[in-house]
Structure formats: C-alpha cells, structure tokens
Coordinates of all heavy atoms in Angstrom, one line a residue:
M121 N 0.8 -1.2 0.0 CA 0.0 0.0 0.0 C 0.9 1.3 0.0 O 0.6 2.2 -0.7 CB -0.9 -0.1 1.2 CG -1.8 1.1 1.3 SD -3.1 1.1 -0.1 CE -4.1 2.3 0.4
R122 N 1.9 1.3 0.8 CA 2.8 2.4 0.9 C 3.4 2.8 -0.5 O 3.5 3.9 -0.9 CB 4.0 2.1 1.8 CG 5.0 3.2 2.0 CD 4.5 4.2 2.9 NE 5.5 5.2 3.1 CZ 5.4 6.5 3.1 NH1 4.2 7.0 2.9 NH2 6.3 7.3 3.3
I123 N 3.7 1.7 -1.3 CA 4.3 2.0 -2.6 C 3.2 2.6 -3.5 O 3.6 3.6 -4.3 CB 4.8 0.7 -3.3 CG1 6.0 0.1 -2.5 CG2 5.2 0.8 -4.7 CD1 6.5 -1.2 -2.9
K124 N 2.0 2.2 -3.4 CA 0.9 2.8 -4.2 C 0.8 4.3 -3.8 O 0.5 5.2 -4.7 CB -0.4 2.1 -4.0 CG -0.5 0.8 -4.7 CD -1.8 0.1 -4.5 CE -1.9 -1.2 -5.3 NZ -3.3 -1.7 -5.1
Q125 N 0.9 4.6 -2.5 CA 0.8 6.0 -2.1 C 1.9 6.9 -2.7 O 1.7 8.0 -3.1 CB 0.8 6.1 -0.6 CG -0.5 5.6 0.0 CD -0.5 5.6 1.5 OE1 0.6 5.4 2.1 NE2 -1.6 5.7 2.2
I126 N 3.1 6.3 -2.6 CA 4.3 7.0 -3.2 C 4.1 7.3 -4.6 O 4.3 8.4 -5.2 CB 5.6 6.3 -2.8 CG1 5.8 6.4 -1.3 CG2 6.7 7.0 -3.6 CD1 6.9 5.5 -0.8
L127 N 3.7 6.2 -5.4 CA 3.5 6.3 -6.8 C 2.4 7.3 -7.1 O 2.6 8.2 -8.0 CB 3.1 4.9 -7.3 CG 2.8 4.9 -8.9 CD1 4.0 5.4 -9.7 CD2 2.4 3.5 -9.3
A128 N 1.3 7.3 -6.4 CA 0.2 8.2 -6.6 C 0.7 9.6 -6.4 O 0.3 10.5 -7.2 CB -1.0 7.9 -5.7
A129 N 1.5 9.8 -5.4 CA 1.9 11.2 -5.1 C 2.8 11.7 -6.1 O 2.7 12.8 -6.6 CB 2.6 11.2 -3.7
F130 N 3.7 10.8 -6.6 CA 4.6 11.2 -7.7 C 3.9 11.5 -8.9 O 4.2 12.6 -9.5 CB 5.6 10.0 -7.9 CG 6.6 10.3 -9.1 CD1 7.6 11.2 -9.0 CD2 6.3 9.7 -10.3 CE1 8.4 11.5 -10.1 CE2 7.1 9.9 -11.4 CZ 8.1 10.8 -11.3
L131 N 3.0 10.7 -9.3 CA 2.3 10.9 -10.6 C 1.5 12.2 -10.5 O 1.5 13.0 -11.4 CB 1.4 9.7 -10.9 CG 2.1 8.4 -11.3 CD1 1.1 7.3 -11.4 CD2 2.9 8.6 -12.5
F132 N 0.7 12.4 -9.4 CA -0.1 13.5 -9.3 C 0.7 14.8 -9.1 O 0.3 15.8 -9.7 CB -1.0 13.3 -8.1 CG -2.2 14.3 -8.2 CD1 -3.2 14.1 -9.2 CD2 -2.4 15.3 -7.3 CE1 -4.3 14.9 -9.3 CE2 -3.4 16.2 -7.4 CZ -4.4 15.9 -8.4
T133 N 1.8 14.7 -8.4 CA 2.7 15.9 -8.3 C 3.2 16.3 -9.6 O 3.3 17.5 -9.9 CB 3.9 15.6 -7.3 OG1 3.3 15.3 -6.0 CG2 4.8 16.8 -7.1
A134 N 3.6 15.3 -10.4 CA 4.1 15.7 -11.8 C 3.0 16.4 -12.6 O 3.3 17.3 -13.3 CB 4.6 14.4 -12.5
L135 N 1.8 15.9 -12.4 CA 0.7 16.4 -13.1 C 0.4 17.9 -12.7 O 0.2 18.8 -13.5 CB -0.6 15.6 -12.9 CG -1.9 16.1 -13.5 CD1 -1.7 16.2 -15.0 CD2 -3.0 15.3 -13.1
V136 N 0.4 18.1 -11.4 CA 0.2 19.4 -10.8 C 1.3 20.4 -11.2 O 1.0 21.5 -11.6 CB 0.1 19.4 -9.3 CG1 0.1 20.8 -8.7 CG2 -1.2 18.6 -8.9
I137 N 2.5 20.0 -11.3 CA 3.6 20.8 -11.6 C 3.4 21.2 -13.1 O 3.6 22.3 -13.5 CB 5.0 20.1 -11.4 CG1 5.2 20.1 -9.9 CG2 6.1 20.9 -12.1 CD1 6.4 19.3 -9.5
S138 N 3.1 20.2 -14.0 CA 2.9 20.5 -15.4 C 1.8 21.5 -15.6 O 1.9 22.4 -16.4 CB 2.8 19.3 -16.3 OG 1.6 18.7 -16.0
C139 N 0.7 21.3 -14.9 CA -0.5 22.3 -15.0 C -0.1 23.6 -14.4 O -0.5 24.6 -14.9 CB -1.6 21.7 -14.3 SG -2.4 20.3 -15.1
G140 N 0.7 23.6 -13.3 CA 1.1 24.8 -12.7 C 2.0 25.7 -13.5 O 1.9 26.9 -13.5
N141 N 2.8 25.0 -14.3 CA 3.7 25.8 -15.2 C 2.9 26.5 -16.2 O 3.3 27.6 -16.7 CB 4.8 24.9 -15.9 CG 5.8 24.4 -14.9 OD1 6.1 25.0 -13.9 ND2 6.4 23.3 -15.3
K142 N 1.9 26.0 -16.7 CA 1.1 26.6 -17.7 C 0.4 27.8 -17.1 O 0.2 28.9 -17.8 CB 0.1 25.6 -18.3 CG -0.7 26.1 -19.4 CD -1.6 25.1 -20.0 CE -2.2 25.6 -21.3 NZ -3.1 24.5 -21.9
A143 N 0.0 27.7 -15.9 CA -0.7 28.8 -15.2 C 0.1 30.1 -15.1 O -0.4 31.2 -15.0 CB -1.2 28.4 -13.8
K144 N 1.5 30.0 -15.1 CA 2.3 31.1 -15.0 C 2.3 32.0 -16.1 O 2.6 33.2 -16.1 CB 3.8 30.6 -14.8 CG 4.1 29.9 -13.4 CD 5.4 29.5 -13.3 CE 5.6 28.7 -12.0 NZ 6.9 28.1 -11.9
D145 N 1.9 31.5 -17.3 CA 1.7 32.3 -18.5 C 0.4 33.0 -18.6 O 0.2 33.7 -19.6 CB 1.9 31.4 -19.7 CG 3.3 30.7 -19.7 OD1 4.2 31.3 -19.2 OD2 3.4 29.6 -20.3
I146 N -0.5 32.8 -17.6 CA -1.8 33.4 -17.7 C -1.9 34.7 -17.0 O -1.3 34.8 -15.9 CB -2.9 32.4 -17.1 CG1 -2.9 31.1 -18.0 CG2 -4.2 33.0 -17.0 CD1 -3.7 30.0 -17.3
N147 N -2.6 35.7 -17.6 CA -2.8 37.0 -16.9 C -3.6 36.7 -15.7 O -4.6 36.1 -15.8 CB -3.4 37.9 -17.9 CG -3.6 39.3 -17.4 OD1 -3.7 39.5 -16.2 ND2 -3.7 40.2 -18.2
V148 N -3.3 37.4 -14.5 CA -4.1 37.1 -13.3 C -5.6 37.5 -13.6 O -6.4 36.8 -13.0 CB -3.5 38.0 -12.1 CG1 -4.4 37.9 -10.9 CG2 -2.1 37.5 -11.8
S149 N -5.9 38.4 -14.4 CA -7.3 38.8 -14.6 C -8.0 37.7 -15.4 O -9.2 37.7 -15.4 CB -7.3 40.2 -15.3 OG -6.8 40.0 -16.6
E150 N -7.3 36.8 -16.0 CA -7.9 35.8 -16.8 C -8.1 34.5 -16.0 O -8.8 33.5 -16.5 CB -7.1 35.4 -18.0 CG -6.9 36.6 -19.0 CD -5.9 36.2 -20.1 OE1 -5.2 35.2 -20.0 OE2 -5.8 37.0 -21.0
I151 N -7.7 34.5 -14.7 CA -7.8 33.2 -14.0 C -9.3 33.0 -13.6 O -10.0 33.9 -13.1 CB -7.0 33.3 -12.7 CG1 -5.5 33.3 -13.0 CG2 -7.3 32.1 -11.7 CD1 -4.6 33.5 -11.9
K152 N -9.8 31.8 -13.9 CA -11.2 31.5 -13.6 C -11.3 31.0 -12.2 O -10.4 30.5 -11.6 CB -11.6 30.4 -14.6 CG -11.5 30.8 -16.0 CD -12.0 29.7 -16.9 CE -11.7 30.0 -18.3 NZ -12.5 30.7 -19.1
T153 N -12.5 31.2 -11.7 CA -12.8 30.8 -10.3 C -13.5 29.5 -10.3 O -14.2 29.1 -9.3 CB -13.7 31.8 -9.6 OG1 -14.9 32.0 -10.3 CG2 -12.9 33.1 -9.4
E154 N -13.4 28.7 -11.3 CA -14.0 27.4 -11.4 C -13.0 26.5 -12.3 O -11.9 26.9 -12.6 CB -15.4 27.4 -12.0 CG -15.4 28.1 -13.3 CD -16.8 28.3 -13.8 OE1 -17.7 28.7 -13.0 OE2 -17.0 28.2 -15.0
F155 N -13.5 25.3 -12.6 CA -12.6 24.4 -13.4 C -13.1 24.4 -14.9 O -14.2 24.0 -15.2 CB -12.7 23.0 -12.8 CG -12.1 22.9 -11.5 CD1 -12.9 23.1 -10.3 CD2 -10.7 22.7 -11.3 CE1 -12.3 23.0 -9.1 CE2 -10.1 22.6 -10.1 CZ -10.9 22.8 -9.0
S156 N -12.3 24.9 -15.8 CA -12.5 24.9 -17.2 C -12.5 23.5 -17.8 O -11.8 22.6 -17.3 CB -11.6 25.9 -17.9 OG -10.3 25.3 -17.9
E157 N -13.1 23.4 -18.9 CA -13.0 22.1 -19.7 C -11.6 21.9 -20.1 O -11.1 20.7 -20.1 CB -13.9 22.1 -20.9 CG -15.4 22.0 -20.6 CD -15.7 20.9 -19.8 OE1 -15.3 19.7 -20.1 OE2 -16.5 21.0 -18.7
E158 N -10.8 22.9 -20.4 CA -9.4 22.8 -20.8 C -8.6 22.2 -19.6 O -7.8 21.3 -19.8 CB -8.8 24.1 -21.2 CG -7.4 24.1 -21.6 CD -6.8 25.4 -21.9 OE1 -7.5 26.5 -21.7 OE2 -5.6 25.4 -22.2
F159 N -8.9 22.7 -18.4 CA -8.2 22.2 -17.2 C -8.5 20.7 -17.0 O -7.6 19.9 -16.8 CB -8.6 23.0 -15.9 CG -8.0 22.5 -14.7 CD1 -6.8 22.8 -14.3 CD2 -8.7 21.5 -13.9 CE1 -6.2 22.3 -13.1 CE2 -8.2 20.9 -12.7 CZ -6.9 21.3 -12.3
K160 N -9.8 20.4 -17.0 CA -10.2 19.0 -16.9 C -9.7 18.1 -17.9 O -9.2 17.0 -17.5 CB -11.7 18.9 -16.8 CG -12.4 19.6 -15.6 CD -13.8 19.4 -15.6 CE -14.6 20.5 -16.2 NZ -16.1 20.4 -16.0
D161 N -9.6 18.5 -19.1 CA -9.1 17.7 -20.2 C -7.6 17.4 -20.1 O -7.1 16.4 -20.2 CB -9.4 18.3 -21.6 CG -10.8 18.2 -22.0 OD1 -11.6 17.4 -21.4 OD2 -11.2 18.9 -22.9
E162 N -6.9 18.5 -19.7 CA -5.5 18.5 -19.6 C -5.1 17.6 -18.4 O -4.1 16.8 -18.4 CB -4.8 19.8 -19.5 CG -3.3 19.8 -19.4 CD -2.6 21.1 -19.5 OE1 -3.2 22.1 -19.9 OE2 -1.4 21.2 -19.1
F163 N -5.8 17.8 -17.3 CA -5.6 17.1 -16.1 C -5.7 15.6 -16.3 O -4.8 14.8 -16.0 CB -6.6 17.5 -15.0 CG -6.5 16.8 -13.7 CD1 -5.8 17.3 -12.6 CD2 -7.1 15.6 -13.5 CE1 -5.7 16.6 -11.5 CE2 -6.9 14.8 -12.4 CZ -6.3 15.4 -11.3
T164 N -6.8 15.2 -17.0 CA -7.1 13.8 -17.3 C -6.0 13.2 -18.2 O -5.5 12.1 -18.0 CB -8.5 13.7 -17.8 OG1 -9.4 14.2 -16.9 CG2 -8.8 12.2 -18.1
R165 N -5.7 14.0 -19.3 CA -4.8 13.5 -20.3 C -3.4 13.2 -19.6 O -2.8 12.2 -19.8 CB -4.6 14.5 -21.4 CG -3.8 14.1 -22.5 CD -3.8 15.1 -23.7 NE -3.7 16.5 -23.4 CZ -4.8 17.3 -23.5 NH1 -5.9 16.9 -23.9 NH2 -4.7 18.6 -23.1
E166 N -2.9 14.2 -18.9 CA -1.6 14.1 -18.2 C -1.6 13.0 -17.2 O -0.6 12.2 -17.0 CB -1.1 15.4 -17.7 CG -0.8 16.4 -18.7 CD 0.4 16.0 -19.6 OE1 1.4 15.5 -19.1 OE2 0.3 16.2 -20.8
C167 N -2.6 12.9 -16.4 CA -2.7 11.9 -15.4 C -2.7 10.5 -16.0 O -2.0 9.7 -15.5 CB -4.0 12.1 -14.6 SG -4.3 11.0 -13.2
V168 N -3.6 10.3 -17.0 CA -3.6 9.0 -17.6 C -2.2 8.6 -18.3 O -1.8 7.5 -18.1 CB -4.7 8.9 -18.7 CG1 -4.6 7.6 -19.5 CG2 -6.1 9.0 -18.0
K169 N -1.6 9.6 -18.9 CA -0.3 9.3 -19.5 C 0.7 8.8 -18.5 O 1.4 7.9 -18.7 CB 0.2 10.6 -20.2 CG 1.5 10.4 -20.9 CD 1.9 11.7 -21.7 CE 2.5 12.7 -20.8 NZ 3.1 13.9 -21.5
N170 N 0.7 9.5 -17.3 CA 1.6 9.1 -16.2 C 1.2 7.8 -15.5 O 2.1 7.1 -15.2 CB 1.8 10.3 -15.3 CG 2.5 11.5 -15.8 OD1 3.5 11.2 -16.5 ND2 2.0 12.6 -15.7
A171 N -0.1 7.7 -15.3 CA -0.5 6.5 -14.5 C -0.5 5.2 -15.3 O -0.2 4.2 -14.7 CB -2.0 6.8 -14.0
K172 N -0.6 5.3 -16.6 CA -0.6 4.0 -17.3 C 0.8 3.4 -17.5 O 1.0 2.4 -18.0 CB -1.4 4.1 -18.6 CG -0.8 4.9 -19.7 CD -1.8 4.9 -20.9 CE -1.1 5.5 -22.1 NZ -1.9 5.5 -23.2
V173 N 1.8 4.1 -17.0 CA 3.2 3.6 -17.0 C 3.2 2.3 -16.1 O 4.0 1.4 -16.4 CB 4.2 4.7 -16.5 CG1 5.6 4.0 -16.2 CG2 4.3 5.8 -17.5
N174 N 2.4 2.4 -15.0 CA 2.4 1.3 -14.0 C 1.1 0.6 -13.9 O 0.9 -0.2 -13.0 CB 2.8 1.9 -12.7 CG 4.2 2.4 -12.6 OD1 5.1 1.7 -13.0 ND2 4.4 3.6 -12.2
S175 N 0.1 0.8 -14.8 CA -1.1 0.1 -14.8 C -1.7 0.1 -16.2 O -1.3 0.8 -17.1 CB -2.0 0.7 -13.8 OG -2.5 2.0 -14.2
S176 N -2.8 -0.6 -16.3 CA -3.5 -0.7 -17.6 C -4.2 0.7 -17.9 O -4.4 1.5 -17.0 CB -4.6 -1.7 -17.6 OG -5.6 -1.5 -16.7
T177 N -4.5 0.9 -19.1 CA -5.2 2.1 -19.5 C -6.5 2.3 -18.8 O -6.8 3.4 -18.3 CB -5.3 2.2 -21.1 OG1 -4.1 2.2 -21.7 CG2 -6.0 3.5 -21.5
S178 N -7.2 1.3 -18.7 CA -8.6 1.4 -18.1 C -8.4 1.7 -16.6 O -9.2 2.5 -16.1 CB -9.4 0.1 -18.3 OG -8.8 -1.0 -17.7
K179 N -7.4 1.1 -15.9 CA -7.2 1.4 -14.5 C -6.8 2.9 -14.4 O -7.1 3.5 -13.4 CB -6.2 0.5 -13.9 CG -6.7 -0.9 -13.6 CD -5.7 -1.7 -12.9 CE -6.2 -3.2 -12.7 NZ -5.3 -4.1 -12.1
A180 N -5.9 3.3 -15.3 CA -5.4 4.7 -15.2 C -6.5 5.7 -15.4 O -6.6 6.7 -14.7 CB -4.3 4.8 -16.3
E181 N -7.4 5.3 -16.4 CA -8.5 6.2 -16.6 C -9.5 6.3 -15.4 O -9.9 7.4 -15.1 CB -9.3 5.8 -17.8 CG -8.5 6.0 -19.1 CD -9.2 5.4 -20.3 OE1 -10.1 4.5 -20.2 OE2 -8.7 5.7 -21.5
R182 N -9.7 5.2 -14.8 CA -10.6 5.2 -13.5 C -9.9 6.0 -12.4 O -10.6 6.8 -11.8 CB -10.9 3.8 -13.1 CG -11.9 3.0 -13.9 CD -12.4 1.7 -13.3 NE -11.4 0.8 -12.9 CZ -10.9 -0.1 -13.7 NH1 -11.4 -0.2 -15.0 NH2 -10.0 -1.0 -13.3
Y183 N -8.7 5.8 -12.2 CA -7.9 6.5 -11.2 C -7.9 8.0 -11.4 O -8.2 8.7 -10.6 CB -6.4 5.9 -11.1 CG -5.5 6.8 -10.3 CD1 -5.6 6.8 -8.9 CD2 -4.7 7.7 -10.9 CE1 -4.7 7.5 -8.1 CE2 -3.9 8.5 -10.1 CZ -3.9 8.4 -8.8 OH -3.1 9.2 -8.0
C184 N -7.7 8.3 -12.6 CA -7.6 9.8 -13.0 C -8.9 10.4 -12.9 O -9.1 11.6 -12.5 CB -7.0 10.0 -14.3 SG -5.2 9.5 -14.3
S185 N -10.0 9.7 -13.3 CA -11.4 10.3 -13.1 C -11.7 10.5 -11.7 O -12.2 11.5 -11.3 CB -12.3 9.3 -13.8 OG -13.7 9.8 -13.6
C186 N -11.3 9.5 -10.9 CA -11.5 9.7 -9.4 C -10.7 10.9 -8.9 O -11.3 11.7 -8.1 CB -11.1 8.4 -8.7 SG -11.2 8.5 -6.9
M187 N -9.5 11.0 -9.3 CA -8.6 12.1 -8.8 C -9.2 13.4 -9.2 O -9.2 14.4 -8.4 CB -7.2 11.9 -9.3 CG -6.4 10.8 -8.6 SD -6.3 11.1 -6.8 CE -5.1 12.5 -6.8
L188 N -9.7 13.5 -10.4 CA -10.2 14.8 -10.9 C -11.5 15.1 -10.0 O -11.6 16.3 -9.6 CB -10.6 14.7 -12.4 CG -11.2 16.0 -13.0 CD1 -10.3 17.2 -12.8 CD2 -11.6 15.8 -14.4
D189 N -12.3 14.1 -9.8 CA -13.5 14.4 -9.0 C -13.1 14.8 -7.5 O -13.7 15.8 -7.0 CB -14.3 13.1 -8.9 CG -15.1 12.8 -10.1 OD1 -15.2 13.7 -11.0 OD2 -15.5 11.6 -10.3
Q190 N -12.1 14.2 -7.0 CA -11.6 14.6 -5.7 C -11.1 16.0 -5.7 O -11.3 16.8 -4.8 CB -10.5 13.6 -5.2 CG -10.9 12.2 -5.0 CD -11.9 12.1 -3.8 OE1 -11.7 12.7 -2.8 NE2 -12.9 11.3 -4.0
V191 N -10.3 16.4 -6.7 CA -9.7 17.7 -6.8 C -10.9 18.8 -6.9 O -10.9 19.7 -6.2 CB -8.7 17.9 -8.0 CG1 -8.4 19.3 -8.2 CG2 -7.5 17.0 -7.7
M192 N -11.8 18.5 -7.7 CA -12.9 19.4 -8.0 C -13.8 19.6 -6.7 O -14.5 20.6 -6.5 CB -13.7 19.1 -9.2 CG -12.8 19.3 -10.5 SD -13.6 18.7 -12.0 CE -15.2 19.3 -11.9
T193 N -13.8 18.5 -5.9 CA -14.7 18.6 -4.7 C -13.9 19.3 -3.6 O -14.6 20.1 -2.9 CB -15.0 17.1 -4.2 OG1 -15.7 16.4 -5.2 CG2 -15.7 17.1 -2.9
K194 N -12.7 19.1 -3.5 CA -11.9 19.7 -2.4 C -11.6 21.2 -2.7 O -11.5 22.0 -1.7 CB -10.6 18.9 -2.1 CG -9.8 19.5 -1.0 CD -8.7 18.6 -0.5 CE -7.9 19.3 0.7 NZ -7.0 18.4 1.2
Y195 N -11.3 21.5 -3.9 CA -10.8 22.9 -4.3 C -11.9 23.6 -5.1 O -12.7 23.0 -5.8 CB -9.5 22.8 -5.1 CG -8.4 22.2 -4.3 CD1 -8.2 20.8 -4.4 CD2 -7.7 22.9 -3.3 CE1 -7.1 20.2 -3.7 CE2 -6.7 22.3 -2.6 CZ -6.4 21.0 -2.7 OH -5.4 20.4 -2.0
D196 N -11.9 24.9 -4.9 CA -12.9 25.8 -5.4 C -12.6 26.2 -6.9 O -13.4 26.6 -7.6 CB -13.2 27.0 -4.6 CG -13.7 26.8 -3.3 OD1 -14.6 25.8 -3.2 OD2 -13.4 27.5 -2.4
S197 N -11.3 26.1 -7.3 CA -10.9 26.6 -8.6 C -9.6 26.0 -9.0 O -8.9 25.3 -8.2 CB -10.7 28.2 -8.5 OG -9.6 28.5 -7.7
E198 N -9.2 26.2 -10.2 CA -7.9 25.7 -10.8 C -6.8 26.4 -10.0 O -5.8 25.7 -9.7 CB -7.8 26.2 -12.2 CG -8.9 25.5 -13.1 CD -8.9 26.1 -14.5 OE1 -7.9 26.7 -15.0 OE2 -9.9 25.9 -15.2
L199 N -7.0 27.6 -9.6 CA -5.9 28.3 -8.9 C -5.7 27.7 -7.5 O -4.6 27.4 -7.1 CB -6.3 29.8 -8.7 CG -5.3 30.7 -8.0 CD1 -3.9 30.7 -8.7 CD2 -5.8 32.1 -7.8
D200 N -6.8 27.4 -6.8 CA -6.7 26.7 -5.5 C -6.0 25.3 -5.6 O -5.2 24.9 -4.9 CB -8.0 26.5 -4.9 CG -8.7 27.8 -4.4 OD1 -7.9 28.8 -4.2 OD2 -9.9 27.8 -4.2
A201 N -6.4 24.6 -6.7 CA -5.8 23.2 -6.9 C -4.4 23.3 -7.2 O -3.6 22.3 -6.8 CB -6.6 22.6 -8.0
G202 N -3.9 24.4 -7.7 CA -2.5 24.5 -8.0 C -1.6 24.7 -6.8 O -0.4 24.5 -6.8
N203 N -2.2 24.9 -5.6 CA -1.6 25.0 -4.3 C -1.5 23.7 -3.6 O -1.1 23.7 -2.4 CB -2.2 26.2 -3.5 CG -2.0 27.5 -4.2 OD1 -1.0 27.8 -4.8 ND2 -3.0 28.3 -4.1
M204 N -1.8 22.6 -4.2 CA -1.8 21.3 -3.4 C -0.4 21.0 -3.0 O 0.5 21.2 -3.7 CB -2.4 20.2 -4.3 CG -3.8 20.1 -4.5 SD -4.3 18.7 -5.4 CE -4.1 19.2 -7.0
T205 N -0.4 20.4 -1.8 CA 0.9 19.8 -1.3 C 0.9 18.3 -1.5 O -0.1 17.7 -1.9 CB 1.0 20.1 0.2 OG1 0.0 19.3 0.9 CG2 0.9 21.6 0.6
V206 N 2.1 17.7 -1.3 CA 2.2 16.3 -1.5 C 1.2 15.6 -0.5 O 0.6 14.6 -0.9 CB 3.7 15.8 -1.2 CG1 3.8 14.3 -1.2 CG2 4.6 16.4 -2.3
N207 N 1.1 16.1 0.7 CA 0.1 15.5 1.7 C -1.3 15.6 1.2 O -2.1 14.6 1.4 CB 0.3 16.1 3.0 CG 1.5 15.7 3.7 OD1 2.1 14.7 3.5 ND2 2.0 16.5 4.7
D208 N -1.6 16.7 0.5 CA -3.0 16.8 0.0 C -3.2 15.7 -1.1 O -4.3 15.1 -1.2 CB -3.2 18.2 -0.6 CG -3.2 19.3 0.3 OD1 -3.5 19.1 1.5 OD2 -2.8 20.4 0.0
V209 N -2.2 15.5 -1.9 CA -2.3 14.6 -3.0 C -2.5 13.2 -2.4 O -3.3 12.3 -2.9 CB -1.1 14.6 -3.9 CG1 -1.1 13.5 -4.9 CG2 -1.0 16.0 -4.6
L210 N -1.7 12.8 -1.4 CA -1.8 11.5 -0.8 C -3.2 11.3 -0.2 O -3.8 10.2 -0.3 CB -0.8 11.3 0.3 CG 0.7 11.2 -0.2 CD1 1.6 11.2 1.0 CD2 0.8 9.9 -0.9
E211 N -3.8 12.3 0.5 CA -5.1 12.2 1.0 C -6.1 11.9 -0.1 O -7.0 11.0 0.1 CB -5.5 13.5 1.6 CG -5.4 13.6 3.1 CD -5.8 14.9 3.7 OE1 -6.9 15.4 3.3 OE2 -5.0 15.5 4.4
L212 N -6.0 12.7 -1.2 CA -7.0 12.5 -2.3 C -6.8 11.1 -2.9 O -7.8 10.4 -3.3 CB -6.8 13.6 -3.4 CG -7.1 15.0 -2.9 CD1 -6.8 16.0 -4.0 CD2 -8.6 15.1 -2.4
A213 N -5.6 10.7 -3.1 CA -5.3 9.5 -3.8 C -5.8 8.2 -3.0 O -6.1 7.2 -3.6 CB -3.8 9.4 -4.1
E214 N -5.8 8.3 -1.7 CA -6.2 7.2 -0.9 C -7.6 6.6 -1.3 O -7.8 5.4 -1.3 CB -6.2 7.5 0.6 CG -4.9 7.5 1.2 CD -4.9 7.8 2.7 OE1 -5.9 7.5 3.4 OE2 -3.9 8.2 3.3
S215 N -8.5 7.6 -1.6 CA -9.8 7.1 -1.9 C -9.9 6.6 -3.4 O -11.0 6.1 -3.8 CB -10.8 8.2 -1.7 OG -10.6 9.3 -2.5
C216 N -8.9 6.8 -4.2 CA -8.9 6.4 -5.6 C -8.1 5.2 -5.9 O -8.2 4.6 -7.0 CB -8.4 7.6 -6.4 SG -9.4 9.1 -6.4
I217 N -7.3 4.8 -5.0 CA -6.5 3.6 -5.2 C -7.2 2.3 -4.9 O -7.9 2.2 -4.0 CB -5.1 3.7 -4.4 CG1 -4.3 4.9 -4.9 CG2 -4.3 2.4 -4.6 CD1 -3.1 5.1 -4.2

C-alpha cells in the first residue's frame, strides 16, 4: 500500500507541476474561479499518460477520473488546486487507489 501511495503522489505531483507551469503564463485577470473544460481535459490527459506507466489504460482512466473528482470537490478553482501539497495529493489518492 505504501508503494501505491508514493506512486500516486509522484504521478499527481508531476501532473500538478505541469499544470502549474502553464498557469504562470496566464494573466491574473484571466484566472477562472472554477474548473474549465481545458483544465479538466489536460488534467485527465496528463494523469492517464503518467498513470498508465504502471497500470493498464482502463485502471489509469478510472484512477484519474476519481482524482479529478476529488480535486474538484476539495478545491474551489484551478488556482486553488495549483496550491496542493504532497500530503494533499496523498489524501486524495487514498480514496482512488
């Protein structure tokens, strides 16, 4: 179980970092206070790409769908989600593994 938690944290952290880098190019006045389709699509695409390294595509898709639901439930916006810590990721991942 511990290995799954570490793997989940690594994969999700890589995803958050890649999404966070994109956010630096956005004008602050353009930041949305909700989750755009672009964010959800990119989140899912990057998550599945990283997760299927260690699992089947169908398992990766289920895991990433769960993680996206967890992120959207816990955080109010894309901006808030960009501030997740590794501990936050581990908490969210527990219910998806």
Side-chain angles (χ1 to χ4, degrees):
M121 182 68 172
R122 178 82 175 136
I123 292 173
K124 285 184 178 181
Q125 289 176 332
I126 292 169
L127 176 61
F130 173 75
L131 294 174
F132 198 70
T133 301
L135 175 64
V136 169
I137 289 169
S138 69
C139 289
N141 287 339
K142 189 172 186 179
K144 291 177 186 174
D145 298 332
I146 297 173
N147 183 334
V148 173
S149 65
E150 295 174 353
I151 294 175
K152 299 185 190 277
T153 57
E154 54 190 38
F155 294 92
S156 67
E157 289 303 313
E158 180 184 2
F159 175 87
K160 292 186 264 187
D161 290 345
E162 183 174 341
F163 179 97
T164 302
R165 184 174 43 255
E166 289 298 315
C167 181
V168 169
K169 181 174 81 173
N170 290 313
K172 68 182 190 179
V173 169
N174 294 308
S175 67
S176 68
T177 300
S178 63
K179 285 183 182 179
E181 289 171 347
R182 281 194 305 273
Y183 168 78
C184 294
S185 176
C186 177
M187 286 300 290
L188 179 59
D189 288 344
Q190 293 293 320
V191 168
M192 291 173 48
T193 299
K194 183 171 182 170
Y195 297 97
D196 295 327
S197 69
E198 297 171 20
L199 183 61
D200 289 341
N203 294 321
M204 279 186 281
T205 66
V206 171
N207 287 336
D208 294 333
V209 172
L210 287 173
E211 259 181 50
L212 296 175
E214 278 183 26
S215 62
C216 295
I217 295 176

